[in-house]
Amino acid sequence: MAYQAEYIWIDGTEPSPLLRSKTKIVADGQPLPVWSFDGSSTNQATGDASDCMLHPVFTCPDPIRGRDNVLVLCEVYNGRDSKPHRTNTRAAAVKAAKKYAKHEMIFGIEQEYTFLKLDGTPLGFPNGGFPEPQGKYYCGVGAGRVAAREIIEEHTQACLDAGLMIEGTNAEVMPGQWEFQIGAADALTVSDHLMVARWLLHRIAEDYDVVVSFDAKPAKGNWNGAGAHTNFSTRAMREDKDMKAIKAACEAIGKKIDLHVKNYGHDIESRLTGAHETAPYNKFSYGVSNRGASIRIPGQVEIAGRGYAEDRRPNANCDPYTVTRLIKETVCSAAE
């Protein structure tokens, strides 16, 4: 019996790529094939050489269609020379994973996002005005404090049904703003699961005529932005005492401020201002339990003397393959 395979990929839209997908009907028992698409319609090719190729890299059950249908995350390759497309950041992450495998690095990503009305106004904002200042919305409950919980519940169950490593959800500090967490696992697994979870969020919100925004600063003014706080840990960070390896990792990252910030998502300057639980984008700091630092070391980690750290700078619209690769390369190369 044939089934439906939803091929998902990252396009070439700038400054923040979009997710695309199309459906392949596959005969039962047949392997998922490499499949072409029109790259000239996704900002990934010109019309005179438009073919790009989708190479399946991660498959999971399709929780929306059910039955034997699947979601298929793909890497994009050039049609003519069969090399990774310039927008294929996962290919570079694969190389880094192999190079630094001995460090056994794991990640967890906290994906914030904002629900918008079709006119671009955040859900929970009154027409033509603003809600009460932030304060009662974070992890809130009740009308006037949270919006679109029905989408959250449906999305969470969809992630569970798909077998994704979703760890939790919560309402964030601005009306219409939420978060889910993916991890902890190796960089490729976390990034693959996050991208499929993003696709599911867009797809489910579509049924409600709600827009999902990963913009860094979806509402100007005295509101928090939206980030993708990235927790990371090497084997040494998990095993060494007195936080020696954790501090060394933070010091290594602090030597490459520009490299990381420039690759942590579009419009990062509007979010990393030094206010609203952020550190300035052009300065680096780390500290225990400090949400105003570039990297936060959780309080329980200090007590244990080992564990993980949280890079709070990546934007909600960041590319997880790039973020995890940069952290891996910077931390692991300094440890060798």
Side-chain angles (χ1 to χ4, degrees), residues 90-329:
R90 189 182 187 278
V94 170
K95 292 181 179 179
K98 293 178 180 178
K99 183 176 181 179
Y100 297 108
K102 68 179 183 181
H103 294 276
E104 298 178 18
M105 199 163 195
I106 57 175
F107 296 85
I109 299 179
E110 304 169 27
Q111 177 68 73
E112 295 177 345
Y113 57 93
T114 309
F115 286 133
L116 305 178
K117 303 173 187 177
L118 293 178
D119 65 2
T121 303
L123 286 182
F125 276 48
N127 293 331
F130 294 90
E132 295 180 31
Q134 60 186 47
K136 65 180 184 179
Y137 310 111
Y138 172 71
C139 294
V141 61
R145 290 186 285 278
V146 297
R149 190 183 292 275
E150 66 274 21
I151 302 178
I152 305 305
E153 295 295 327
E154 190 172 337
H155 175 254
T156 302
Q157 190 60 53
C159 289
L160 291 171
D161 292 344
L164 303 182
M165 298 181 68
I166 186 167
E167 292 294 314
T169 66
N170 61 268
E172 270 300 333
V173 299
M174 188 181 81
Q177 195 174 72
W178 291 81
E179 175 187 299
F180 65 86
Q181 303 95 36
I182 295 289
D186 64 271
L188 291 174
T189 298
V190 163
S191 299
D192 289 345
H193 285 221
L194 181 66
M195 296 311 299
V196 173
R198 283 180 179 179
W199 184 90
L200 281 169
L201 186 61
H202 282 297
R203 174 60 188 84
I204 291 168
E206 173 187 314
D207 291 341
Y208 293 85
D209 283 336
V210 169
V211 175
V212 179
S213 170
F214 293 110
D215 287 351
K217 193 73 172 179
K220 306 303 180 185
N222 194 27
W223 301 99
N224 279 28
H229 302 156
T230 301
N231 301 280
F232 61 94
S233 175
T234 62
R235 185 180 70 252
M237 291 170 65
R238 297 188 293 274
E239 295 179 353
D240 287 357
K241 297 180 180 180
D242 301 323
M243 296 200 303
K244 180 180 179 181
I246 293 174
K247 292 179 179 179
C250 293
E251 294 288 347
I253 293 174
K255 295 177 181 178
K256 297 185 177 182
I257 299 174
D258 289 343
L259 174 64
H260 285 249
V261 167
K262 288 179 180 178
N263 289 280
Y264 275 9
H266 172 63
D267 197 29
I268 200 166
E269 295 86 357
S270 71
R271 177 176 153 265
L272 300 185
T273 62
H276 302 110
E277 299 181 296
T278 69
Y281 71 90
N282 56 354
K283 296 181 180 180
F284 181 83
S285 61
Y286 68 92
V288 175
S289 294
N290 186 355
R291 294 182 183 274
S294 306
I295 294 181
R296 179 181 71 94
I297 300 171
Q300 70 269 24
V301 171
E302 181 184 47
I303 294 172
R306 67 190 74 180
Y308 69 98
E310 173 197 45
D311 193 332
R312 297 180 54 79
R313 297 171 298 170
N315 276 349
N317 58 16
C318 74
D319 177 344
Y321 299 109
T322 298
V323 170
T324 57
R325 175 181 61 79
L326 286 174
I327 293 175
K328 181 190 296 285
E329 291 175 343

